[in-house]
Amino acid sequence: MKYSLTSLAPVAVFVGTVAGAPMVNGNCKVVADTSGAVVPGNGSFEAYTDPSGPLLQAAKQASAPAGYKTLFSKDIGASRQSGYLTYRLLDGPTYDVEQCAAHCNSHADCQSFNIFFERDPKFDHDANPGCEDMTPVTNVKCALFSEDLLTNKANNDKQYDGPNNTGFVNVQVGSSGYVKVSELESRPVSHYKGALQNYGSATELGNKAIKDDASYITYKSLNDPTFAVAECAKACTQQQGCVFFNTYTLLANGVSQGPKCALFNQASDASKAVNEGYGHLGDSYTIENSVSYALEQ
């Protein structure tokens, strides 16, 4: 959904230079590309980071687009972490999560995205040597990542274009992170019935995995999250003595490590779903999208 700033309460729109900043001079000629979003208040750093201002209010109205779930929503701070692919300057002044999702969907490696407002200089200072004009513009930016975003890595909040923290101040506000919903999570379990002809109905286990040492056989890492259930069912069928399996997504510090498949020689019910993850060498491993099937006798 698009969130237009013009639909919010009226605000004083900045049209000149920030108080105390030099006016446009002869060296300021090349105007940078911009989304054209509203400049809040007097265009200062404080106006951009005002929780009651139009930018943060627009971001707070946003919701996850189709096929995605929300990972975080922050007043200040864009994502800065591994898996970064590229960014897009959104076309138009609105906080358009669908447009950002479309960019992610069109990139073969994109798993998640971060959308935010950014305070940028009107004039491209790299293309305008000697330009001292500090007039701000507001861009809506969309950063794409090949990994799940981590909330604690959304800490890229301020930059200066001059040495020793001088010059124009960039700031990222209204930052939201979204990740693609896994195939197992987005489709009903009935979608896999064709591959599970010899198995009974699914038992949804949420964020817990089966723990039954007495009947445990082995586990496998699966290749394709899209067909995790069917692939695990096939592994169970091919494993001597297997009559029950549990497939789930393993996460390390919130980042998906892919689907896993645990095989058992006895069926268990949800009361055995007590494995919520573990810690190892300072890393936290957790579970999501857990589901189990038993072979019909």
Side-chain angles (χ1 to χ4, degrees):
M1 184 176 294
K2 299 179 181 179
Y3 295 89
S4 173
L5 301 182
T6 58
S7 65
L8 300 173
V11 296
V13 178
F14 179 83
V15 294
T17 56
V18 177
M23 297 296 289
V24 177
N25 58 41
N27 294 319
C28 302
K29 298 177 181 179
V30 181
V31 178
D33 293 336
T34 179
S35 300
V38 67
V39 174
N42 64 358
S44 65
F45 175 88
E46 291 74 19
Y48 271 82
T49 56
D50 180 4
S52 62
L55 302 183
L56 270 62
Q57 289 301 308
K60 288 176 180 177
Q61 293 181 29
S63 57
Y68 289 81
K69 62 181 178 181
T70 303
L71 288 175
F72 64 81
S73 181
K74 300 185 67 175
D75 286 352
I76 305 175
S79 293
R80 177 170 49 189
Q81 66 169 71
S82 61
Y84 173 74
L85 297 170
T86 186
Y87 86 91
R88 298 284 187 266
L89 184 67
L90 293 192
D91 182 17
T94 57
Y95 195 84
D96 191 347
V97 293
E98 280 84 2
Q99 185 183 158
C100 197
H103 285 304
C104 187
N105 292 339
S106 67
H107 196 297
D109 297 322
C110 186
Q111 175 68 19
S112 57
F113 68 85
N114 178 210
I115 181 174
F116 53 91
F117 292 109
E118 183 169 277
R119 181 183 191 266
D120 288 323
K122 176 180 179 180
F123 293 94
D124 185 337
H125 289 179
D126 290 334
N128 296 272
C131 176
E132 297 180 342
D133 185 271
M134 298 294 175
T135 303
V137 294
T138 304
N139 287 314
V140 189
K141 293 189 175 181
C142 171
L144 309 181
F145 293 82
S146 63
E147 301 176 359
D148 290 5
L149 296 175
L150 300 177
T151 302
N152 64 353
K153 295 296 184 181
N155 55 13
N156 184 22
D157 56 3
K158 185 191 301 184
Q159 301 86 36
Y160 299 85
D161 71 353
N164 301 319
N165 295 339
T166 62
F168 188 90
V169 182
N170 297 87
V171 63
Q172 294 76 30
V173 301
S175 176
S176 298
Y178 300 96
V179 64
K180 287 181 178 178
V181 176
S182 70
E183 192 74 12
L184 178 59
E185 189 174 357
S186 63
R187 291 188 177 185
V189 173
S190 59
H191 170 77
Y192 300 98
K193 284 296 185 182
L196 300 167
Q197 295 179 4
N198 298 320
Y199 291 85
S201 59
T203 300
E204 301 280 0
L205 303 173
N207 297 328
K208 298 179 181 180
I210 296 292
K211 181 176 175 58
D212 187 358
D213 295 339
S215 63
Y216 173 75
I217 300 174
T218 187
Y219 93 98
K220 300 177 181 293
S221 293
L222 305 179
N223 297 318
D224 190 347
T226 304
F227 301 105
V229 172
E231 194 175 351
C232 194
K234 181 179 179 180
C236 185
T237 301
Q238 295 174 342
Q239 175 70 47
Q240 184 177 4
C242 183
V243 298
F244 178 77
F245 70 85
N246 176 204
T247 182
Y248 54 87
T249 301
L250 182 68
L251 297 91
N253 301 320
V255 178
S256 174
Q257 304 301 298
K260 306 299 178 182
C261 171
L263 308 180
F264 301 84
N265 61 25
Q266 290 183 9
S268 297
D269 58 26
S271 66
K272 294 290 183 70
V274 295
N275 179 11
E276 298 181 277
Y278 58 94
H280 180 65
L281 298 178
D283 293 318
S284 175
Y285 291 85
T286 54
I287 290 164
E288 68 177 13
N289 303 328
S290 180
V291 62
S292 66
Y293 284 87
L295 188 66
E296 290 185 327
Q297 302 298 320

